[in-house]
Amino acid sequence: MGNTWEAGRCNNGNQGTTPVTAYPAGASFYGCFDMAGNVQEWTSTRWGSDRNRSDFSYPYHIDEREDLEANEYRVDRGGSFEIIKAS
């Protein structure tokens, strides 16, 4: 608990999603399950051309970061069971 990583508390490294209660040891203090490690959302928010440094400051203006035609890295949110590599 706390600041120590314990892989058995969430879906980490599996080949797919799992039921919400599959990792009971990972329940929060309030009894919430699956707060990390099951799914990741790939958003339309632009990151930029360099995967290590964003081209945009925060907070940002929607008109500059929501261009769906831009061929750049995008922002991921959430926690996934696998690493998604940008192409």
Side-chain angles (χ1 to χ4, degrees):
M1 282 205 141
N3 294 328
T4 305
W5 175 254
E6 296 180 37
R9 294 182 176 263
C10 69
N11 186 356
N12 177 45
N14 291 324
Q15 296 301 312
T17 58
T18 55
V20 171
T21 57
Y23 297 90
S28 74
F29 176 80
Y30 298 101
C32 296
F33 290 93
D34 225 7
M35 300 302 291
N38 211 15
V39 295
Q40 186 168 340
E41 175 186 11
W42 187 64
T43 70
S44 63
T45 305
R46 295 166 59 199
W47 176 260
S49 57
D50 182 349
R51 69 182 300 167
N52 297 310
R53 184 186 58 79
S54 177
D55 291 342
F56 303 93
S57 61
Y58 183 85
Y60 65 91
H61 301 285
I62 290 177
D63 60 335
E64 71 181 16
R65 291 218 20 208
E66 299 300 329
D67 180 3
L68 298 178
E69 301 300 319
N71 187 18
E72 299 175 310
Y73 289 103
R74 302 292 173 155
V75 174
D76 291 341
R77 293 189 174 94
S80 177
F81 58 87
E82 67 180 345
I83 295 172
I84 300 173
K85 295 181 180 178
S87 55

